[in-house]
Amino acid sequence: MKRTIISLTAAAAALAAVTGVAALTAPGGGAAAVAPASGTRLPVQRSTLVCPAPSSSEVADTTYTAFAPPGAATGADTKKGTAQLQPAGTVADSHGNPAGKGGKDAKDAKDAKGKGTAADAGAPQTVPPADTKPVVPLQQAGKPVTAATDSPDAPALTGSADGLLAPGWTVQQTTAVAAGSGRGLQGLTCTAPDTQFWFPGVSTAAGRTDYVHLTNPDAIPAVVDLELRGKDGALTESGGGEDITVPPHTTVPVLLSTLTTTAVDGAALHVTVRSGRIGAAVQAADAKTGGDWLPPAADPAPSAVLPGIPADATDVQLVAVAPGDADADVTVQLATPTGLITPAGLNTLHVKSGMTTTVDLKDITKGEAGSLVLTPSGDGSTAPITAALRVLRGKGDSQEMAFIPATRPVEARGTVADNRAKGSTLTLVAPEKGKDATVKVTASAGSGGGSPVTKTFTVKGGTDLAVQPPLPSGLKGSYALTVEPQSGSGPVYAARMLALPQGGLPAFTIQPVPDDRGSVLVPTAGQDLSLLTR
């Protein structure tokens, strides 16, 4: 009994000491109980990004553009900080070929049903990068830094930013491929690592070659599962795509057609990380329609917005997946410059649980830029979905493709780098009727010189606005755009199209501009004396 009393007394003393510290450090110096506030939004102190290997083509040129918005950090975070990328290693098969990129073991893996990737065949080994020199290191916020390579062996990149350069740190990877499968313009905003990704719109059909690039930025191995889904459900062969190990600071490309014997166009890839975390992106190449990167779609939700369909799109294909346990019924609308319209013959879309639905929307924009808006139908369905669009421009042998995944809204600020004096189009969409969006768009200084310029746009609720973004004064080189909704603004989504024609080919790429998550809500702690009586 005495021991129990002593233990309780010691616990009460410890709690009193902790409470005393809280009282001493309470705002204003008072010791009276203060109700904790909801929290304070503060700039992030560290950001991590992953860029996949750009291309194995001998006729490809890649440009990296890094940028951090100015004035994003405050207080103690205004220290100079660092931001740079480092080359990652690769996983090679027993013949020295990059895993999944061809060679004897890649063929063996494809022929071995359910055995997934070339990383599973032979004796894979980690090959360190040939060069460890940092890529696009930033020296200051507000001015882009660029670097270029034409090497077919250009590695994947991983890196981090801290201090002043961490909030909103963005890296754009833009590759021009002159010929061959996947020719055209391939662009990607390098992704933040995570533990789960959805990629609607992948394909294992003849003529398409889709690789998912799995890159581990951390010092511990990551273990990944890959699952393909189609219109009839799971496509992945038994055991295929499971337990893929991605060593530290290493990338593993996986050919999706090695995961299944079924040739399917309009599939969805689900990437799940069992341990660790990775960055993931899908590189799609087609012999007839070129190639581009498919970035991860926004997390499944009852609604989805896919911004930035070009006015001159000649064919648009929608792929939606319902990953939950219930079927999803969604209303399909196109946000145009004048309002929301329903595509002919497509009022609602039914997506079965665990399956995909593919719809050919053809030339849905009819000469006016637009954005696709998916919302729950009136029957009360709130089952989550996610989706992506494959967009074609041009005709015949001069077609080029790009992808638009479902995108997160811009809440505080979105950033996209590598804009050019000609060829950039910014799309802003306010999907909810009656909720106009007021957006401040800032063009940064150029990578080679120039002064920032800011312009404010108003987007009426239920409409889409495609504009040529403002140009920096005295622009030299490329520049970045930041998109900031103003106080009281309705929800807004954004995308950027970069068009760089190659002869008669309308080469282009589209990058969504979601919120850059440059700030986080930090809960405010307060003392609670009632703990002593509980």
Side-chain angles (χ1 to χ4, degrees), residues 361-415:
L361 301 174
K362 301 180 180 179
D363 56 341
I364 185 174
T365 54
K366 303 295 183 182
E368 284 189 328
S371 298
L372 206 66
V373 179
L374 307 178
T375 55
S377 63
D379 63 358
S381 171
T382 57
I385 62 162
T386 192
L389 299 172
R390 186 206 64 190
V391 178
L392 296 182
R393 295 174 69 223
K395 296 181 179 181
D397 294 333
S398 296
Q399 286 186 315
E400 163 74 327
M401 75 174 175
F403 296 95
I404 304 174
T407 305
R408 301 192 314 271
V410 182
E411 296 173 353
R413 183 192 59 226
T415 305

Short mmCIF file of all heavy atoms in Angstrom, two decimals, residues 361-415:
data_model
loop_
_atom_site.label_atom_id
_atom_site.label_comp_id
_atom_site.label_asym_id
_atom_site.label_seq_id
_atom_site.Cartn_x
_atom_site.Cartn_y
_atom_site.Cartn_z
N LEU A 361 -13.70 10.42 -75.08
CA LEU A 361 -14.39 11.70 -75.14
C LEU A 361 -14.14 12.44 -76.46
O LEU A 361 -14.66 13.54 -76.67
CB LEU A 361 -13.95 12.59 -73.97
CG LEU A 361 -14.21 12.00 -72.57
CD1 LEU A 361 -13.60 12.90 -71.51
CD2 LEU A 361 -15.69 11.81 -72.34
N LYS A 362 -13.31 11.86 -77.30
CA LYS A 362 -12.99 12.41 -78.63
C LYS A 362 -12.51 13.86 -78.51
O LYS A 362 -11.76 14.20 -77.61
CB LYS A 362 -14.19 12.24 -79.55
CG LYS A 362 -14.62 10.78 -79.72
CD LYS A 362 -15.81 10.61 -80.64
CE LYS A 362 -16.18 9.13 -80.75
NZ LYS A 362 -17.35 8.91 -81.63
N ASP A 363 -12.96 14.72 -79.42
CA ASP A 363 -12.54 16.13 -79.38
C ASP A 363 -13.51 16.94 -78.53
O ASP A 363 -14.19 17.86 -79.00
CB ASP A 363 -12.42 16.71 -80.79
CG ASP A 363 -13.71 16.58 -81.58
OD1 ASP A 363 -14.57 15.74 -81.22
OD2 ASP A 363 -13.88 17.32 -82.56
N ILE A 364 -13.55 16.63 -77.25
CA ILE A 364 -14.56 17.16 -76.34
C ILE A 364 -14.53 18.68 -76.22
O ILE A 364 -15.56 19.32 -76.01
CB ILE A 364 -14.40 16.51 -74.95
CG1 ILE A 364 -15.53 16.95 -74.00
CG2 ILE A 364 -13.04 16.80 -74.36
CD1 ILE A 364 -15.50 16.24 -72.67
N THR A 365 -13.35 19.30 -76.38
CA THR A 365 -13.25 20.74 -76.15
C THR A 365 -13.80 21.56 -77.32
O THR A 365 -14.14 22.75 -77.13
CB THR A 365 -11.80 21.15 -75.90
OG1 THR A 365 -10.99 20.69 -76.98
CG2 THR A 365 -11.29 20.56 -74.59
N LYS A 366 -13.87 21.01 -78.52
CA LYS A 366 -14.45 21.70 -79.69
C LYS A 366 -13.86 23.09 -79.90
O LYS A 366 -14.57 24.06 -80.18
CB LYS A 366 -15.96 21.82 -79.53
CG LYS A 366 -16.70 20.50 -79.34
CD LYS A 366 -16.62 19.61 -80.55
CE LYS A 366 -17.43 18.32 -80.36
NZ LYS A 366 -17.33 17.41 -81.52
N GLY A 367 -12.54 23.20 -79.73
CA GLY A 367 -11.88 24.47 -80.00
C GLY A 367 -11.81 25.43 -78.82
O GLY A 367 -11.25 26.52 -78.96
N GLU A 368 -12.34 25.03 -77.67
CA GLU A 368 -12.25 25.87 -76.46
C GLU A 368 -11.59 25.05 -75.35
O GLU A 368 -12.00 23.93 -75.08
CB GLU A 368 -13.63 26.33 -75.98
CG GLU A 368 -14.25 27.44 -76.79
CD GLU A 368 -15.50 27.98 -76.13
OE1 GLU A 368 -16.21 27.18 -75.47
OE2 GLU A 368 -15.76 29.19 -76.24
N ALA A 369 -10.57 25.63 -74.72
CA ALA A 369 -9.89 24.92 -73.63
C ALA A 369 -10.89 24.62 -72.51
O ALA A 369 -11.83 25.38 -72.27
CB ALA A 369 -8.75 25.78 -73.10
N GLY A 370 -10.69 23.49 -71.83
CA GLY A 370 -11.62 23.11 -70.77
C GLY A 370 -10.96 22.22 -69.73
O GLY A 370 -9.79 21.83 -69.85
N SER A 371 -11.72 21.90 -68.70
CA SER A 371 -11.27 21.02 -67.62
C SER A 371 -12.41 20.08 -67.27
O SER A 371 -13.58 20.48 -67.27
CB SER A 371 -10.86 21.82 -66.39
OG SER A 371 -9.78 22.69 -66.68
N LEU A 372 -12.08 18.83 -66.97
CA LEU A 372 -13.11 17.85 -66.66
C LEU A 372 -13.40 17.85 -65.15
O LEU A 372 -12.46 17.87 -64.34
CB LEU A 372 -12.68 16.45 -67.10
CG LEU A 372 -13.82 15.47 -67.41
CD1 LEU A 372 -14.62 15.95 -68.62
CD2 LEU A 372 -13.28 14.06 -67.65
N VAL A 373 -14.68 17.84 -64.81
CA VAL A 373 -15.10 17.87 -63.41
C VAL A 373 -16.00 16.66 -63.15
O VAL A 373 -17.03 16.49 -63.82
CB VAL A 373 -15.86 19.18 -63.08
CG1 VAL A 373 -16.31 19.17 -61.62
CG2 VAL A 373 -14.99 20.39 -63.37
N LEU A 374 -15.61 15.82 -62.22
CA LEU A 374 -16.39 14.64 -61.84
C LEU A 374 -16.92 14.84 -60.43
O LEU A 374 -16.13 15.10 -59.50
CB LEU A 374 -15.51 13.38 -61.89
CG LEU A 374 -14.74 13.11 -63.19
CD1 LEU A 374 -13.90 11.85 -63.06
CD2 LEU A 374 -15.69 12.99 -64.37
N THR A 375 -18.22 14.72 -60.25
CA THR A 375 -18.86 14.90 -58.94
C THR A 375 -19.84 13.78 -58.68
O THR A 375 -20.34 13.14 -59.63
CB THR A 375 -19.60 16.25 -58.87
OG1 THR A 375 -20.53 16.33 -59.97
CG2 THR A 375 -18.63 17.42 -58.95
N PRO A 376 -20.15 13.48 -57.42
CA PRO A 376 -21.11 12.41 -57.13
C PRO A 376 -22.46 12.70 -57.77
O PRO A 376 -22.92 13.84 -57.80
CB PRO A 376 -21.22 12.45 -55.60
CG PRO A 376 -19.95 13.08 -55.14
CD PRO A 376 -19.59 14.08 -56.19
N SER A 377 -23.07 11.66 -58.31
CA SER A 377 -24.39 11.83 -58.92
C SER A 377 -25.43 12.03 -57.84
O SER A 377 -25.17 11.87 -56.65
CB SER A 377 -24.74 10.60 -59.78
OG SER A 377 -24.82 9.45 -58.96
N GLY A 378 -26.64 12.38 -58.25
CA GLY A 378 -27.69 12.74 -57.30
C GLY A 378 -28.25 11.60 -56.51
O GLY A 378 -29.14 11.80 -55.68
N ASP A 379 -27.78 10.35 -56.72
CA ASP A 379 -28.38 9.22 -56.01
C ASP A 379 -27.76 8.99 -54.63
O ASP A 379 -28.03 7.98 -53.98
CB ASP A 379 -28.24 7.94 -56.85
CG ASP A 379 -26.79 7.54 -57.09
OD1 ASP A 379 -25.90 8.29 -56.63
OD2 ASP A 379 -26.56 6.52 -57.74
N GLY A 380 -26.90 9.92 -54.21
CA GLY A 380 -26.30 9.81 -52.88
C GLY A 380 -25.00 9.04 -52.84
O GLY A 380 -24.42 8.86 -51.77
N SER A 381 -24.50 8.59 -53.98
CA SER A 381 -23.24 7.85 -54.01
C SER A 381 -22.07 8.75 -53.63
O SER A 381 -21.92 9.85 -54.16
CB SER A 381 -23.00 7.29 -55.42
OG SER A 381 -21.71 6.75 -55.52
N THR A 382 -21.27 8.30 -52.68
CA THR A 382 -20.07 9.04 -52.29
C THR A 382 -18.83 8.15 -52.34
O THR A 382 -17.84 8.41 -51.68
CB THR A 382 -20.22 9.63 -50.88
OG1 THR A 382 -20.48 8.57 -49.95
CG2 THR A 382 -21.33 10.66 -50.83
N ALA A 383 -18.90 7.07 -53.12
CA ALA A 383 -17.77 6.16 -53.24
C ALA A 383 -16.58 6.90 -53.86
O ALA A 383 -16.75 7.69 -54.78
CB ALA A 383 -18.14 4.96 -54.09
N PRO A 384 -15.38 6.68 -53.36
CA PRO A 384 -14.21 7.40 -53.88
C PRO A 384 -13.80 6.91 -55.27
O PRO A 384 -13.96 5.73 -55.60
CB PRO A 384 -13.12 7.09 -52.86
CG PRO A 384 -13.52 5.79 -52.26
CD PRO A 384 -15.02 5.79 -52.24
N ILE A 385 -13.28 7.82 -56.06
CA ILE A 385 -12.74 7.51 -57.37
C ILE A 385 -11.45 8.31 -57.56
O ILE A 385 -11.17 9.24 -56.83
CB ILE A 385 -13.70 7.88 -58.52
CG1 ILE A 385 -13.98 9.40 -58.52
CG2 ILE A 385 -14.99 7.07 -58.47
CD1 ILE A 385 -14.54 9.92 -59.81
N THR A 386 -10.68 7.92 -58.55
CA THR A 386 -9.63 8.78 -59.06
C THR A 386 -9.54 8.49 -60.56
O THR A 386 -10.05 7.48 -61.04
CB THR A 386 -8.29 8.58 -58.33
OG1 THR A 386 -7.39 9.64 -58.71
CG2 THR A 386 -7.67 7.23 -58.64
N ALA A 387 -8.91 9.41 -61.30
CA ALA A 387 -9.00 9.32 -62.76
C ALA A 387 -7.83 10.04 -63.42
O ALA A 387 -7.07 10.77 -62.77
CB ALA A 387 -10.33 9.94 -63.23
N ALA A 388 -7.70 9.81 -64.72
CA ALA A 388 -6.69 10.51 -65.52
C ALA A 388 -7.18 10.57 -66.96
O ALA A 388 -8.01 9.77 -67.40
CB ALA A 388 -5.34 9.83 -65.44
N LEU A 389 -6.65 11.56 -67.69
CA LEU A 389 -6.96 11.73 -69.10
C LEU A 389 -5.70 11.52 -69.94
O LEU A 389 -4.61 11.95 -69.56
CB LEU A 389 -7.47 13.15 -69.40
CG LEU A 389 -8.76 13.60 -68.70
CD1 LEU A 389 -9.00 15.08 -68.96
CD2 LEU A 389 -9.95 12.77 -69.19
N ARG A 390 -5.85 10.84 -71.06
CA ARG A 390 -4.82 10.84 -72.09
C ARG A 390 -5.28 11.78 -73.18
O ARG A 390 -6.38 11.63 -73.72
CB ARG A 390 -4.61 9.45 -72.67
CG ARG A 390 -3.43 9.37 -73.65
CD ARG A 390 -3.60 8.26 -74.66
NE ARG A 390 -4.76 8.50 -75.51
CZ ARG A 390 -5.26 7.60 -76.35
NH1 ARG A 390 -4.75 6.40 -76.44
NH2 ARG A 390 -6.31 7.90 -77.10
N VAL A 391 -4.46 12.77 -73.49
CA VAL A 391 -4.84 13.83 -74.43
C VAL A 391 -3.94 13.76 -75.66
O VAL A 391 -2.71 13.66 -75.54
CB VAL A 391 -4.71 15.22 -73.78
CG1 VAL A 391 -5.06 16.32 -74.76
CG2 VAL A 391 -5.60 15.30 -72.54
N LEU A 392 -4.55 13.81 -76.84
CA LEU A 392 -3.79 13.84 -78.10
C LEU A 392 -3.98 15.18 -78.78
O LEU A 392 -5.07 15.75 -78.78
CB LEU A 392 -4.25 12.74 -79.05
CG LEU A 392 -4.04 11.29 -78.62
CD1 LEU A 392 -4.52 10.35 -79.73
CD2 LEU A 392 -2.59 11.00 -78.29
N ARG A 393 -2.89 15.68 -79.35
CA ARG A 393 -2.94 16.83 -80.26
C ARG A 393 -2.34 16.39 -81.59
O ARG A 393 -1.47 15.53 -81.64
CB ARG A 393 -2.14 18.02 -79.71
CG ARG A 393 -2.72 18.61 -78.44
CD ARG A 393 -1.81 19.69 -77.86
NE ARG A 393 -1.78 20.89 -78.71
CZ ARG A 393 -0.68 21.57 -79.01
NH1 ARG A 393 0.51 21.15 -78.58
NH2 ARG A 393 -0.75 22.65 -79.75
N GLY A 394 -2.80 17.02 -82.69
CA GLY A 394 -2.30 16.66 -84.00
C GLY A 394 -3.11 15.53 -84.62
O GLY A 394 -4.02 14.97 -84.00
N LYS A 395 -2.76 15.19 -85.86
CA LYS A 395 -3.48 14.15 -86.59
C LYS A 395 -2.51 13.26 -87.35
O LYS A 395 -1.36 13.64 -87.60
CB LYS A 395 -4.48 14.78 -87.57
CG LYS A 395 -5.59 15.58 -86.90
CD LYS A 395 -6.55 16.16 -87.95
CE LYS A 395 -7.68 16.94 -87.28
NZ LYS A 395 -8.63 17.50 -88.28
N GLY A 396 -2.99 12.07 -87.71
CA GLY A 396 -2.19 11.16 -88.52
C GLY A 396 -0.88 10.78 -87.87
O GLY A 396 -0.84 10.39 -86.69
N ASP A 397 0.20 10.91 -88.64
CA ASP A 397 1.52 10.57 -88.13
C ASP A 397 2.14 11.68 -87.28
O ASP A 397 3.25 11.53 -86.77
CB ASP A 397 2.47 10.26 -89.30
CG ASP A 397 2.05 9.00 -90.06
OD1 ASP A 397 1.40 8.13 -89.43
OD2 ASP A 397 2.35 8.89 -91.26
N SER A 398 1.43 12.78 -87.14
CA SER A 398 1.94 13.93 -86.38
C SER A 398 1.13 14.13 -85.10
O SER A 398 0.72 15.23 -84.77
CB SER A 398 1.92 15.20 -87.23
OG SER A 398 2.79 15.08 -88.32
N GLN A 399 0.87 13.03 -84.41
CA GLN A 399 0.16 13.10 -83.14
C GLN A 399 1.15 13.03 -81.98
O GLN A 399 2.19 12.38 -82.05
CB GLN A 399 -0.84 11.95 -83.02
CG GLN A 399 -2.09 12.12 -83.87
CD GLN A 399 -3.09 11.03 -83.59
OE1 GLN A 399 -2.76 9.86 -83.49
NE2 GLN A 399 -4.35 11.42 -83.44
N GLU A 400 0.78 13.70 -80.91
CA GLU A 400 1.58 13.69 -79.68
C GLU A 400 0.64 13.57 -78.50
O GLU A 400 -0.48 14.12 -78.51
CB GLU A 400 2.41 14.98 -79.60
CG GLU A 400 2.98 15.33 -78.26
CD GLU A 400 4.17 14.49 -77.81
OE1 GLU A 400 4.20 13.31 -78.17
OE2 GLU A 400 5.03 15.03 -77.10
N MET A 401 1.07 12.83 -77.45
CA MET A 401 0.18 12.63 -76.31
C MET A 401 0.76 13.20 -75.02
O MET A 401 1.97 13.37 -74.87
CB MET A 401 -0.13 11.15 -76.12
CG MET A 401 0.98 10.31 -75.54
SD MET A 401 0.38 8.61 -75.21
CE MET A 401 1.91 7.82 -74.70
N ALA A 402 -0.15 13.50 -74.10
CA ALA A 402 0.19 13.93 -72.75
C ALA A 402 -0.89 13.42 -71.82
O ALA A 402 -1.93 12.92 -72.27
CB ALA A 402 0.32 15.45 -72.68
N PHE A 403 -0.67 13.55 -70.52
CA PHE A 403 -1.61 13.04 -69.53
C PHE A 403 -2.01 14.13 -68.54
O PHE A 403 -1.22 15.02 -68.22
CB PHE A 403 -0.99 11.87 -68.75
CG PHE A 403 -0.69 10.66 -69.59
CD1 PHE A 403 0.57 10.47 -70.13
CD2 PHE A 403 -1.67 9.72 -69.85
CE1 PHE A 403 0.86 9.37 -70.90
CE2 PHE A 403 -1.40 8.61 -70.62
CZ PHE A 403 -0.13 8.43 -71.16
N ILE A 404 -3.26 14.04 -68.08
CA ILE A 404 -3.76 14.94 -67.04
C ILE A 404 -4.39 14.09 -65.95
O ILE A 404 -5.48 13.53 -66.14
CB ILE A 404 -4.82 15.93 -67.59
CG1 ILE A 404 -4.26 16.74 -68.76
CG2 ILE A 404 -5.30 16.85 -66.48
CD1 ILE A 404 -5.31 17.62 -69.43
N PRO A 405 -3.75 13.93 -64.81
CA PRO A 405 -4.36 13.17 -63.71
C PRO A 405 -5.29 14.05 -62.88
O PRO A 405 -5.22 15.28 -62.94
CB PRO A 405 -3.14 12.74 -62.89
CG PRO A 405 -2.18 13.88 -63.08
CD PRO A 405 -2.40 14.39 -64.48
N ALA A 406 -6.16 13.42 -62.12
CA ALA A 406 -6.93 14.15 -61.11
C ALA A 406 -5.94 14.88 -60.20
O ALA A 406 -4.90 14.34 -59.84
CB ALA A 406 -7.80 13.20 -60.31
N THR A 407 -6.28 16.11 -59.84
CA THR A 407 -5.31 17.01 -59.21
C THR A 407 -5.85 17.58 -57.90
O THR A 407 -7.06 17.81 -57.77
CB THR A 407 -4.99 18.18 -60.18
OG1 THR A 407 -4.54 17.63 -61.41
CG2 THR A 407 -3.92 19.09 -59.62
N ARG A 408 -4.97 17.81 -56.94
CA ARG A 408 -5.36 18.48 -55.70
C ARG A 408 -5.59 19.96 -55.96
O ARG A 408 -4.96 20.55 -56.85
CB ARG A 408 -4.28 18.34 -54.63
CG ARG A 408 -3.92 16.93 -54.24
CD ARG A 408 -3.06 16.93 -52.97
NE ARG A 408 -2.00 17.90 -52.99
CZ ARG A 408 -0.78 17.70 -53.46
NH1 ARG A 408 -0.47 16.53 -53.99
NH2 ARG A 408 0.15 18.65 -53.42
N PRO A 409 -6.47 20.61 -55.19
CA PRO A 409 -6.67 22.05 -55.36
C PRO A 409 -5.47 22.84 -54.87
O PRO A 409 -4.66 22.35 -54.08
CB PRO A 409 -7.91 22.33 -54.50
CG PRO A 409 -7.88 21.26 -53.44
CD PRO A 409 -7.34 20.05 -54.13
N VAL A 410 -5.36 24.08 -55.36
CA VAL A 410 -4.34 24.99 -54.86
C VAL A 410 -4.94 25.69 -53.64
O VAL A 410 -5.85 26.50 -53.79
CB VAL A 410 -3.93 26.02 -55.92
CG1 VAL A 410 -2.81 26.92 -55.38
CG2 VAL A 410 -3.48 25.34 -57.20
N GLU A 411 -4.46 25.39 -52.47
CA GLU A 411 -5.02 25.96 -51.25
C GLU A 411 -4.30 27.24 -50.85
O GLU A 411 -4.92 28.27 -50.64
CB GLU A 411 -4.97 24.92 -50.13
CG GLU A 411 -5.84 23.70 -50.43
CD GLU A 411 -5.67 22.62 -49.40
OE1 GLU A 411 -4.77 22.76 -48.53
OE2 GLU A 411 -6.41 21.62 -49.45
N ALA A 412 -2.99 27.17 -50.71
CA ALA A 412 -2.21 28.36 -50.34
C ALA A 412 -1.36 28.85 -51.51
O ALA A 412 -1.34 30.03 -51.84
CB ALA A 412 -1.31 28.06 -49.15
N ARG A 413 -0.66 27.91 -52.17
CA ARG A 413 0.21 28.30 -53.27
C ARG A 413 0.60 27.07 -54.06
O ARG A 413 0.84 25.99 -53.51
CB ARG A 413 1.48 28.97 -52.74
CG ARG A 413 2.44 29.47 -53.82
CD ARG A 413 3.79 29.86 -53.23
NE ARG A 413 4.40 28.72 -52.57
CZ ARG A 413 4.97 28.77 -51.37
NH1 ARG A 413 4.99 29.91 -50.70
NH2 ARG A 413 5.50 27.69 -50.82
N GLY A 414 0.63 27.20 -55.39
CA GLY A 414 1.16 26.16 -56.26
C GLY A 414 2.28 26.73 -57.09
O GLY A 414 2.29 27.93 -57.41
N THR A 415 3.25 25.89 -57.47
CA THR A 415 4.41 26.36 -58.20
C THR A 415 4.74 25.41 -59.34
O THR A 415 4.67 24.18 -59.17
CB THR A 415 5.64 26.46 -57.27
OG1 THR A 415 5.32 27.28 -56.14
CG2 THR A 415 6.83 27.06 -57.99
#
